[in-house]
Amino acid sequence: MPTWLIVLIVVVAVAVLGAVIWLVTQEMQRKRLQQRFGPEYDRTVAEKDSPRAAQRELAERERRHKELDIRPLSTSARERYVREWAQVQEKFVDEPAPAVAEADQLLTSLMAERGYPTEGYEQQVADLSVRHAKTLENYRAAHTTQQKPDGASTEDLRDAMVRYRTVFEDLLTDGAGDEQHDHHDRRNGHDHGGHDHDRDRTEERAADRRDAGRDDSNRHETELHETDRRDTDRHETERQASANPRTEWNGGR
């Protein structure tokens, strides 16, 4: 076989292999983005010229999101937002439109405290889509109702309030918990305190177990002494009972 033919076959084989690898990579990327963004993937594809353009857009959102300092809420902040949301819901009974506007503002404030930029609605939506794609459509629909220039019906406002609450709860609870706070502290070089606290807790539990063991031992010893005493008294009572009838019987005779 001529050398040029061998080279041609190798070049073609490499090209075909490269094309297969590229197609597989693109398919894996598509499935990953679909799984992560859900309905937002289909929406972005519909808005863009092609699926590849949509995938580039979503990948860019992921890249931007990684640069954000997204953090969980502290327990006190979470409780504060819960109280503020309850006040907004109470206001809805008498003033639906102002209450919905306040719900939108409260949600924006919550985003900012979590670390999301709030410079514009479209950017908010793009940033939220990375981790909150499942509730994002609720945010869009509620925001659209709240922004209606000619006003909205009470039923529309009620629907917007429910949708805002769905997004609010998603942002409120996402990342919450002591483990998330510990992870954030460790990432910033404050893990020694957590380890010392864990060690102290372990030592306290060990001391409690030792004390409990001593208490159990003392209790068991007391119970044994009590049992021995009862057995001794019972034996003495039985001995006296067996002796008394003979004495009374002999006296009768």
Short mmCIF file of all heavy atoms in Angstrom, two decimals, residues 87-146:
data_model
loop_
_atom_site.label_atom_id
_atom_site.label_comp_id
_atom_site.label_asym_id
_atom_site.label_seq_id
_atom_site.Cartn_x
_atom_site.Cartn_y
_atom_site.Cartn_z
N GLN A 87 -45.89 40.18 57.36
CA GLN A 87 -46.48 41.51 57.38
C GLN A 87 -47.00 41.91 56.00
O GLN A 87 -48.07 42.52 55.88
CB GLN A 87 -45.45 42.53 57.88
CG GLN A 87 -45.03 42.33 59.33
CD GLN A 87 -43.88 43.21 59.72
OE1 GLN A 87 -43.36 43.99 58.92
NE2 GLN A 87 -43.45 43.12 60.98
N VAL A 88 -46.25 41.56 54.96
CA VAL A 88 -46.69 41.86 53.59
C VAL A 88 -47.97 41.10 53.27
O VAL A 88 -48.90 41.65 52.66
CB VAL A 88 -45.57 41.52 52.58
CG1 VAL A 88 -46.10 41.65 51.15
CG2 VAL A 88 -44.37 42.43 52.79
N GLN A 89 -48.03 39.84 53.67
CA GLN A 89 -49.24 39.05 53.40
C GLN A 89 -50.45 39.62 54.14
O GLN A 89 -51.57 39.62 53.61
CB GLN A 89 -49.01 37.59 53.82
CG GLN A 89 -48.13 36.82 52.85
CD GLN A 89 -48.21 35.33 53.07
OE1 GLN A 89 -48.10 34.55 52.13
NE2 GLN A 89 -48.40 34.90 54.30
N GLU A 90 -50.25 40.10 55.36
CA GLU A 90 -51.36 40.71 56.10
C GLU A 90 -51.84 41.98 55.40
O GLU A 90 -53.04 42.28 55.37
CB GLU A 90 -50.91 41.03 57.53
CG GLU A 90 -50.69 39.78 58.39
CD GLU A 90 -50.20 40.14 59.78
OE1 GLU A 90 -50.08 41.35 60.07
OE2 GLU A 90 -49.94 39.22 60.57
N LYS A 91 -50.91 42.73 54.84
CA LYS A 91 -51.26 43.97 54.16
C LYS A 91 -52.07 43.70 52.89
O LYS A 91 -52.88 44.54 52.47
CB LYS A 91 -49.99 44.75 53.81
CG LYS A 91 -50.26 46.11 53.19
CD LYS A 91 -48.96 46.88 53.00
CE LYS A 91 -49.24 48.27 52.45
NZ LYS A 91 -47.98 49.06 52.30
N PHE A 92 -51.87 42.53 52.30
CA PHE A 92 -52.55 42.20 51.05
C PHE A 92 -54.08 42.21 51.21
O PHE A 92 -54.81 42.52 50.27
CB PHE A 92 -52.10 40.83 50.54
CG PHE A 92 -52.73 40.43 49.25
CD1 PHE A 92 -52.19 40.84 48.04
CD2 PHE A 92 -53.87 39.63 49.21
CE1 PHE A 92 -52.77 40.48 46.83
CE2 PHE A 92 -54.46 39.27 48.02
CZ PHE A 92 -53.90 39.69 46.82
N VAL A 93 -54.56 41.90 52.39
CA VAL A 93 -56.01 41.83 52.63
C VAL A 93 -56.67 43.16 52.34
O VAL A 93 -57.73 43.22 51.69
CB VAL A 93 -56.29 41.40 54.09
CG1 VAL A 93 -57.80 41.40 54.36
CG2 VAL A 93 -55.70 40.02 54.35
N ASP A 94 -56.07 44.25 52.78
CA ASP A 94 -56.66 45.57 52.60
C ASP A 94 -56.08 46.34 51.43
O ASP A 94 -56.77 47.18 50.83
CB ASP A 94 -56.48 46.41 53.88
CG ASP A 94 -57.17 45.77 55.08
OD1 ASP A 94 -58.29 45.24 54.91
OD2 ASP A 94 -56.58 45.79 56.19
N GLU A 95 -54.82 46.08 51.08
CA GLU A 95 -54.15 46.82 50.00
C GLU A 95 -53.40 45.85 49.09
O GLU A 95 -52.18 45.72 49.19
CB GLU A 95 -53.19 47.85 50.59
CG GLU A 95 -53.84 48.85 51.54
CD GLU A 95 -52.82 49.77 52.16
OE1 GLU A 95 -52.49 50.80 51.54
OE2 GLU A 95 -52.34 49.45 53.26
N PRO A 96 -54.09 45.17 48.21
CA PRO A 96 -53.45 44.14 47.38
C PRO A 96 -52.31 44.66 46.51
O PRO A 96 -51.22 44.09 46.51
CB PRO A 96 -54.61 43.61 46.52
CG PRO A 96 -55.84 43.97 47.28
CD PRO A 96 -55.54 45.24 47.98
N ALA A 97 -52.55 45.74 45.77
CA ALA A 97 -51.52 46.24 44.85
C ALA A 97 -50.26 46.70 45.58
O ALA A 97 -49.14 46.30 45.21
CB ALA A 97 -52.09 47.36 43.98
N PRO A 98 -50.37 47.53 46.62
CA PRO A 98 -49.15 47.91 47.36
C PRO A 98 -48.45 46.72 47.99
O PRO A 98 -47.21 46.69 48.07
CB PRO A 98 -49.68 48.88 48.43
CG PRO A 98 -50.93 49.44 47.86
CD PRO A 98 -51.54 48.30 47.09
N ALA A 99 -49.23 45.74 48.44
CA ALA A 99 -48.62 44.56 49.06
C ALA A 99 -47.80 43.78 48.04
O ALA A 99 -46.70 43.30 48.35
CB ALA A 99 -49.70 43.67 49.67
N VAL A 100 -48.30 43.64 46.83
CA VAL A 100 -47.54 42.93 45.79
C VAL A 100 -46.27 43.69 45.44
O VAL A 100 -45.21 43.09 45.22
CB VAL A 100 -48.43 42.72 44.54
CG1 VAL A 100 -47.60 42.20 43.37
CG2 VAL A 100 -49.56 41.74 44.84
N ALA A 101 -46.36 45.02 45.40
CA ALA A 101 -45.17 45.83 45.12
C ALA A 101 -44.14 45.64 46.23
O ALA A 101 -42.93 45.53 45.97
CB ALA A 101 -45.55 47.30 45.00
N GLU A 102 -44.59 45.59 47.48
CA GLU A 102 -43.68 45.36 48.59
C GLU A 102 -43.09 43.96 48.55
O GLU A 102 -41.93 43.75 48.93
CB GLU A 102 -44.40 45.59 49.92
CG GLU A 102 -44.70 47.04 50.21
CD GLU A 102 -45.27 47.24 51.60
OE1 GLU A 102 -45.08 46.32 52.46
OE2 GLU A 102 -45.89 48.28 51.85
N ALA A 103 -43.88 42.98 48.09
CA ALA A 103 -43.36 41.62 47.96
C ALA A 103 -42.23 41.58 46.95
O ALA A 103 -41.21 40.90 47.16
CB ALA A 103 -44.48 40.67 47.54
N ASP A 104 -42.38 42.33 45.86
CA ASP A 104 -41.32 42.39 44.84
C ASP A 104 -40.06 43.03 45.43
O ASP A 104 -38.94 42.55 45.21
CB ASP A 104 -41.82 43.20 43.64
CG ASP A 104 -40.79 43.22 42.52
OD1 ASP A 104 -40.76 42.28 41.71
OD2 ASP A 104 -39.99 44.19 42.46
N GLN A 105 -40.24 44.10 46.19
CA GLN A 105 -39.09 44.77 46.81
C GLN A 105 -38.41 43.89 47.85
O GLN A 105 -37.18 43.85 47.95
CB GLN A 105 -39.56 46.07 47.45
CG GLN A 105 -40.06 47.10 46.44
CD GLN A 105 -40.72 48.29 47.12
OE1 GLN A 105 -40.72 48.41 48.34
NE2 GLN A 105 -41.27 49.20 46.32
N LEU A 106 -39.22 43.18 48.64
CA LEU A 106 -38.66 42.30 49.66
C LEU A 106 -37.87 41.17 49.02
O LEU A 106 -36.80 40.77 49.52
CB LEU A 106 -39.78 41.73 50.53
CG LEU A 106 -39.34 40.85 51.71
CD1 LEU A 106 -38.43 41.62 52.66
CD2 LEU A 106 -40.56 40.30 52.45
N LEU A 107 -38.36 40.65 47.91
CA LEU A 107 -37.66 39.59 47.21
C LEU A 107 -36.33 40.09 46.65
O LEU A 107 -35.30 39.40 46.72
CB LEU A 107 -38.53 39.05 46.08
CG LEU A 107 -38.08 37.74 45.42
CD1 LEU A 107 -37.93 36.63 46.45
CD2 LEU A 107 -39.09 37.32 44.35
N THR A 108 -36.33 41.32 46.13
CA THR A 108 -35.08 41.91 45.64
C THR A 108 -34.09 42.10 46.77
O THR A 108 -32.88 41.85 46.62
CB THR A 108 -35.37 43.26 44.97
OG1 THR A 108 -36.28 43.06 43.87
CG2 THR A 108 -34.08 43.88 44.44
N SER A 109 -34.58 42.52 47.93
CA SER A 109 -33.71 42.68 49.09
C SER A 109 -33.12 41.34 49.52
O SER A 109 -31.93 41.24 49.88
CB SER A 109 -34.52 43.29 50.25
OG SER A 109 -33.73 43.36 51.43
N LEU A 110 -33.93 40.29 49.46
CA LEU A 110 -33.45 38.95 49.81
C LEU A 110 -32.38 38.49 48.84
O LEU A 110 -31.36 37.90 49.24
CB LEU A 110 -34.63 37.97 49.81
CG LEU A 110 -34.31 36.49 50.04
CD1 LEU A 110 -33.55 36.29 51.34
CD2 LEU A 110 -35.60 35.67 50.03
N MET A 111 -32.57 38.76 47.55
CA MET A 111 -31.56 38.40 46.55
C MET A 111 -30.24 39.09 46.86
O MET A 111 -29.16 38.45 46.81
CB MET A 111 -32.03 38.83 45.15
CG MET A 111 -33.22 38.07 44.61
SD MET A 111 -33.69 38.75 42.98
CE MET A 111 -35.32 38.04 42.79
N ALA A 112 -30.30 40.37 47.20
CA ALA A 112 -29.08 41.13 47.47
C ALA A 112 -28.36 40.56 48.68
O ALA A 112 -27.12 40.43 48.68
CB ALA A 112 -29.43 42.60 47.70
N GLU A 113 -29.10 40.20 49.73
CA GLU A 113 -28.46 39.65 50.93
C GLU A 113 -27.88 38.28 50.67
O GLU A 113 -26.90 37.88 51.33
CB GLU A 113 -29.46 39.59 52.08
CG GLU A 113 -28.83 39.27 53.41
CD GLU A 113 -29.58 39.85 54.59
OE1 GLU A 113 -30.50 40.66 54.38
OE2 GLU A 113 -29.27 39.49 55.74
N ARG A 114 -28.43 37.55 49.73
CA ARG A 114 -27.86 36.24 49.38
C ARG A 114 -26.61 36.39 48.52
O ARG A 114 -25.86 35.43 48.36
CB ARG A 114 -28.90 35.41 48.62
CG ARG A 114 -30.05 34.86 49.44
CD ARG A 114 -29.59 33.81 50.44
NE ARG A 114 -28.75 32.82 49.83
CZ ARG A 114 -29.19 31.74 49.17
NH1 ARG A 114 -30.50 31.53 49.07
NH2 ARG A 114 -28.36 30.87 48.65
N GLY A 115 -26.40 37.60 47.94
CA GLY A 115 -25.21 37.83 47.12
C GLY A 115 -25.50 38.00 45.64
O GLY A 115 -24.57 38.11 44.84
N TYR A 116 -26.78 38.04 45.25
CA TYR A 116 -27.13 38.23 43.84
C TYR A 116 -27.14 39.72 43.50
O TYR A 116 -27.72 40.52 44.24
CB TYR A 116 -28.51 37.65 43.56
CG TYR A 116 -28.55 36.15 43.52
CD1 TYR A 116 -28.98 35.42 44.63
CD2 TYR A 116 -28.17 35.45 42.39
CE1 TYR A 116 -29.01 34.04 44.61
CE2 TYR A 116 -28.20 34.06 42.34
CZ TYR A 116 -28.62 33.36 43.46
OH TYR A 116 -28.64 32.00 43.43
N PRO A 117 -26.51 40.11 42.38
CA PRO A 117 -26.60 41.50 41.94
C PRO A 117 -28.06 41.85 41.59
O PRO A 117 -28.81 41.01 41.11
CB PRO A 117 -25.72 41.54 40.68
CG PRO A 117 -24.81 40.36 40.82
CD PRO A 117 -25.62 39.30 41.53
N THR A 118 -28.45 43.07 41.84
CA THR A 118 -29.83 43.49 41.61
C THR A 118 -29.90 44.75 40.75
O THR A 118 -30.79 45.57 40.90
CB THR A 118 -30.55 43.73 42.94
OG1 THR A 118 -29.83 44.71 43.71
CG2 THR A 118 -30.66 42.45 43.76
N GLU A 119 -28.94 44.88 39.82
CA GLU A 119 -28.89 46.10 39.02
C GLU A 119 -29.96 46.16 37.94
O GLU A 119 -30.23 47.20 37.38
CB GLU A 119 -27.51 46.29 38.38
CG GLU A 119 -27.13 45.23 37.36
CD GLU A 119 -26.38 44.06 37.97
OE1 GLU A 119 -26.42 43.93 39.19
OE2 GLU A 119 -25.75 43.29 37.20
N GLY A 120 -30.57 45.05 37.62
CA GLY A 120 -31.59 45.06 36.57
C GLY A 120 -32.37 43.76 36.56
O GLY A 120 -31.84 42.70 36.91
N TYR A 121 -33.62 43.85 36.14
CA TYR A 121 -34.50 42.68 36.18
C TYR A 121 -33.98 41.55 35.30
O TYR A 121 -33.94 40.38 35.73
CB TYR A 121 -35.91 43.09 35.75
CG TYR A 121 -36.83 41.94 35.49
CD1 TYR A 121 -37.32 41.15 36.54
CD2 TYR A 121 -37.20 41.60 34.18
CE1 TYR A 121 -38.15 40.08 36.29
CE2 TYR A 121 -38.05 40.53 33.94
CZ TYR A 121 -38.51 39.77 34.99
OH TYR A 121 -39.33 38.70 34.75
N GLU A 122 -33.59 41.85 34.08
CA GLU A 122 -33.14 40.81 33.16
C GLU A 122 -31.91 40.09 33.69
O GLU A 122 -31.80 38.87 33.58
CB GLU A 122 -32.84 41.42 31.78
CG GLU A 122 -34.08 41.93 31.04
CD GLU A 122 -35.08 40.82 30.76
OE1 GLU A 122 -34.66 39.65 30.64
OE2 GLU A 122 -36.28 41.12 30.66
N GLN A 123 -31.00 40.85 34.31
CA GLN A 123 -29.81 40.21 34.87
C GLN A 123 -30.17 39.38 36.10
O GLN A 123 -29.58 38.33 36.34
CB GLN A 123 -28.77 41.27 35.25
CG GLN A 123 -27.41 40.68 35.62
CD GLN A 123 -26.81 39.86 34.49
OE1 GLN A 123 -26.59 40.38 33.39
NE2 GLN A 123 -26.55 38.59 34.74
N GLN A 124 -31.14 39.86 36.86
CA GLN A 124 -31.61 39.08 38.01
C GLN A 124 -32.12 37.72 37.54
O GLN A 124 -31.81 36.68 38.13
CB GLN A 124 -32.73 39.83 38.72
CG GLN A 124 -32.28 41.03 39.53
CD GLN A 124 -33.47 41.75 40.16
OE1 GLN A 124 -34.61 41.39 39.93
NE2 GLN A 124 -33.19 42.78 40.94
N VAL A 125 -32.93 37.74 36.51
CA VAL A 125 -33.49 36.50 35.98
C VAL A 125 -32.39 35.57 35.50
O VAL A 125 -32.41 34.36 35.78
CB VAL A 125 -34.48 36.81 34.83
CG1 VAL A 125 -34.89 35.52 34.12
CG2 VAL A 125 -35.72 37.52 35.36
N ALA A 126 -31.41 36.12 34.79
CA ALA A 126 -30.31 35.29 34.27
C ALA A 126 -29.52 34.67 35.41
O ALA A 126 -29.16 33.48 35.36
CB ALA A 126 -29.40 36.14 33.38
N ASP A 127 -29.25 35.45 36.46
CA ASP A 127 -28.46 34.92 37.58
C ASP A 127 -29.25 33.89 38.37
O ASP A 127 -28.71 32.88 38.81
CB ASP A 127 -28.03 36.07 38.50
CG ASP A 127 -27.01 36.99 37.84
OD1 ASP A 127 -26.30 36.52 36.94
OD2 ASP A 127 -26.94 38.17 38.23
N LEU A 128 -30.54 34.14 38.57
CA LEU A 128 -31.36 33.19 39.33
C LEU A 128 -31.54 31.87 38.58
O LEU A 128 -31.74 30.83 39.21
CB LEU A 128 -32.73 33.80 39.62
CG LEU A 128 -32.79 34.91 40.67
CD1 LEU A 128 -34.20 35.49 40.74
CD2 LEU A 128 -32.38 34.39 42.05
N SER A 129 -31.49 31.91 37.26
CA SER A 129 -31.80 30.72 36.47
C SER A 129 -30.82 29.58 36.72
O SER A 129 -31.14 28.41 36.49
CB SER A 129 -31.81 31.07 34.98
OG SER A 129 -30.51 31.41 34.53
N VAL A 130 -29.61 29.89 37.20
CA VAL A 130 -28.60 28.85 37.36
C VAL A 130 -28.96 27.90 38.50
O VAL A 130 -28.81 26.68 38.39
CB VAL A 130 -27.21 29.49 37.60
CG1 VAL A 130 -26.14 28.40 37.80
CG2 VAL A 130 -26.84 30.38 36.43
N ARG A 131 -29.45 28.44 39.61
CA ARG A 131 -29.77 27.60 40.77
C ARG A 131 -31.25 27.58 41.13
O ARG A 131 -31.67 26.78 41.97
CB ARG A 131 -28.98 28.08 42.00
CG ARG A 131 -27.51 27.78 41.92
CD ARG A 131 -26.75 28.25 43.15
NE ARG A 131 -27.22 27.64 44.37
CZ ARG A 131 -26.64 27.82 45.55
NH1 ARG A 131 -25.59 28.60 45.66
NH2 ARG A 131 -27.13 27.24 46.64
N HIS A 132 -32.04 28.44 40.50
CA HIS A 132 -33.45 28.53 40.86
C HIS A 132 -34.34 28.49 39.62
O HIS A 132 -35.36 29.16 39.56
CB HIS A 132 -33.71 29.81 41.65
CG HIS A 132 -32.90 29.91 42.91
ND1 HIS A 132 -33.28 29.31 44.09
CD2 HIS A 132 -31.70 30.52 43.14
CE1 HIS A 132 -32.36 29.57 45.01
NE2 HIS A 132 -31.40 30.28 44.47
N ALA A 133 -33.94 27.65 38.66
CA ALA A 133 -34.69 27.58 37.41
C ALA A 133 -36.10 27.05 37.61
O ALA A 133 -37.03 27.42 36.88
CB ALA A 133 -33.94 26.70 36.41
N LYS A 134 -36.30 26.21 38.62
CA LYS A 134 -37.62 25.59 38.82
C LYS A 134 -38.68 26.60 39.23
O LYS A 134 -39.87 26.39 38.96
CB LYS A 134 -37.52 24.48 39.87
CG LYS A 134 -36.69 23.28 39.42
CD LYS A 134 -36.65 22.21 40.49
CE LYS A 134 -35.84 21.01 40.02
NZ LYS A 134 -35.78 19.94 41.06
N THR A 135 -38.27 27.67 39.91
CA THR A 135 -39.25 28.67 40.35
C THR A 135 -39.14 29.97 39.57
O THR A 135 -39.84 30.94 39.87
CB THR A 135 -39.04 28.98 41.85
OG1 THR A 135 -37.70 29.44 42.07
CG2 THR A 135 -39.27 27.73 42.69
N LEU A 136 -38.29 29.99 38.56
CA LEU A 136 -38.04 31.24 37.84
C LEU A 136 -39.26 31.73 37.08
O LEU A 136 -39.51 32.93 37.00
CB LEU A 136 -36.87 31.05 36.88
CG LEU A 136 -36.31 32.32 36.24
CD1 LEU A 136 -35.83 33.29 37.30
CD2 LEU A 136 -35.17 31.97 35.29
N GLU A 137 -40.04 30.82 36.51
CA GLU A 137 -41.23 31.22 35.76
C GLU A 137 -42.23 31.92 36.66
O GLU A 137 -42.95 32.83 36.23
CB GLU A 137 -41.86 30.01 35.08
CG GLU A 137 -42.85 30.35 33.98
CD GLU A 137 -42.25 31.21 32.88
OE1 GLU A 137 -41.06 31.00 32.55
OE2 GLU A 137 -42.96 32.11 32.39
N ASN A 138 -42.29 31.51 37.93
CA ASN A 138 -43.15 32.19 38.88
C ASN A 138 -42.71 33.63 39.08
O ASN A 138 -43.54 34.54 39.19
CB ASN A 138 -43.12 31.46 40.23
CG ASN A 138 -43.85 30.13 40.19
OD1 ASN A 138 -45.07 30.08 40.05
ND2 ASN A 138 -43.11 29.04 40.31
N TYR A 139 -41.41 33.85 39.13
CA TYR A 139 -40.89 35.21 39.30
C TYR A 139 -41.24 36.07 38.08
O TYR A 139 -41.64 37.23 38.23
CB TYR A 139 -39.39 35.16 39.52
CG TYR A 139 -38.76 36.50 39.77
CD1 TYR A 139 -39.25 37.34 40.77
CD2 TYR A 139 -37.67 36.95 39.02
CE1 TYR A 139 -38.68 38.58 41.02
CE2 TYR A 139 -37.09 38.18 39.26
CZ TYR A 139 -37.59 38.99 40.25
OH TYR A 139 -37.03 40.22 40.48
N ARG A 140 -41.09 35.52 36.91
CA ARG A 140 -41.41 36.26 35.69
C ARG A 140 -42.89 36.66 35.67
O ARG A 140 -43.23 37.81 35.39
CB ARG A 140 -41.09 35.42 34.45
CG ARG A 140 -39.62 35.36 34.06
CD ARG A 140 -39.50 34.90 32.61
NE ARG A 140 -38.11 34.86 32.17
CZ ARG A 140 -37.34 33.80 32.16
NH1 ARG A 140 -37.83 32.65 32.62
NH2 ARG A 140 -36.10 33.83 31.72
N ALA A 141 -43.76 35.69 35.94
CA ALA A 141 -45.20 35.95 35.87
C ALA A 141 -45.62 36.97 36.92
O ALA A 141 -46.40 37.90 36.63
CB ALA A 141 -45.98 34.65 36.06
N ALA A 142 -45.11 36.84 38.14
CA ALA A 142 -45.47 37.78 39.20
C ALA A 142 -44.96 39.18 38.88
O ALA A 142 -45.66 40.18 39.10
CB ALA A 142 -44.91 37.30 40.53
N HIS A 143 -43.75 39.27 38.38
CA HIS A 143 -43.17 40.58 38.05
C HIS A 143 -43.95 41.24 36.93
O HIS A 143 -44.17 42.47 36.95
CB HIS A 143 -41.71 40.40 37.64
CG HIS A 143 -40.99 41.70 37.41
ND1 HIS A 143 -40.53 42.48 38.44
CD2 HIS A 143 -40.69 42.36 36.26
CE1 HIS A 143 -39.95 43.56 37.95
NE2 HIS A 143 -40.02 43.52 36.63
N THR A 144 -44.39 40.46 35.96
CA THR A 144 -45.18 41.02 34.86
C THR A 144 -46.49 41.60 35.38
O THR A 144 -46.91 42.69 34.98
CB THR A 144 -45.47 39.93 33.82
OG1 THR A 144 -44.24 39.44 33.27
CG2 THR A 144 -46.33 40.48 32.69
N THR A 145 -47.15 40.88 36.28
CA THR A 145 -48.40 41.38 36.88
C THR A 145 -48.15 42.65 37.67
O THR A 145 -48.91 43.62 37.58
CB THR A 145 -49.01 40.31 37.80
OG1 THR A 145 -49.30 39.14 37.04
CG2 THR A 145 -50.28 40.82 38.45
N GLN A 146 -47.08 42.67 38.43
CA GLN A 146 -46.78 43.82 39.27
C GLN A 146 -46.45 45.07 38.44
O GLN A 146 -46.68 46.20 38.87
CB GLN A 146 -45.62 43.47 40.20
CG GLN A 146 -45.39 44.45 41.34
CD GLN A 146 -44.37 45.52 40.99
OE1 GLN A 146 -43.44 45.27 40.22
NE2 GLN A 146 -44.55 46.71 41.53
#
